[in-house]
């Protein structure tokens, strides 16, 4: 961020006074943003196809209280710690939904 120009040819804020151009956001800033359509399609696919085998095993580890082991297992399968944490959180949500469904 530059400070306002003074209009003088010397000093810290030297230079001609101009109004800065408003830059429209680049298309890349929206990459990866979850849209309504994408969320809907992913939900339908999850409903039809179900969980993958490694996701089922992760849920089994979470059921017996082995959260750290589930994280290590997900990290081994997904290749990144951040992705593994996100997947474990997702599996915990699914497990909570299953328990709520059984309770009611």
């Amino acid at each position: 961020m530059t400070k306002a120009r003074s209009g003088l040819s010397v000093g810290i804020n030297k230079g001609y006074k101009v109004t800065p151009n408003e830059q429209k956001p680049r298309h890349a800033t929206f990459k990866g943003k979850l849209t309504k359509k994408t969320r809907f399609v992913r939900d339908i696919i999850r409903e039809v196809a179900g969980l993958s085998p490694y996701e089922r095993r992760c849920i089994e580890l979470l059921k017996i209280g082995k959260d750290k082991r589930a994280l290590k297992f997900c990290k081994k399968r997904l290749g990144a710690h951040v992705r593994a944490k996100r997947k474990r959180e997702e599996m915990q949500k699914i497990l909570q939904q299953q328990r709520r469904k059984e309770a009611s």
Side-chain angles (χ1 to χ4, degrees), residues 69-87:
R69 173 58 59 188
L71 179 66
K72 288 177 81 171
F73 176 72
C74 288
K75 185 179 176 197
K76 178 104 170 123
R77 293 300 162 103
L78 296 171
H81 185 68
V82 175
R83 287 180 179 177
K85 286 200 302 189
R86 195 177 304 132
K87 181 59 77 172

Side-chain angles (χ1 to χ4, degrees), residues 92-102:
Q92 284 175 336
K93 285 181 184 174
I94 289 172
L95 191 59
Q96 287 173 354
Q97 288 172 354
Q98 287 176 354
R99 287 181 177 156
R100 265 193 237 118
K101 199 179 249 186
E102 289 172 5

Side-chain angles (χ1 to χ4, degrees), residues 19-20 23 34 37 46 50 59 70-71:
T19 56
Q23 297 285 329
L34 194 63
K37 183 179 177 182
R46 175 53 58 102
I59 286 179
L71 179 66

Side-chain angles (χ1 to χ4, degrees), residues 45-62:
I45 290 171
R46 175 53 58 102
E47 195 175 315
V48 172
L51 299 170
S52 64
Y54 89 92
E55 290 173 333
R56 283 197 292 267
R57 182 166 174 201
C58 180
I59 286 179
E60 288 301 318
L61 288 168
L62 291 170

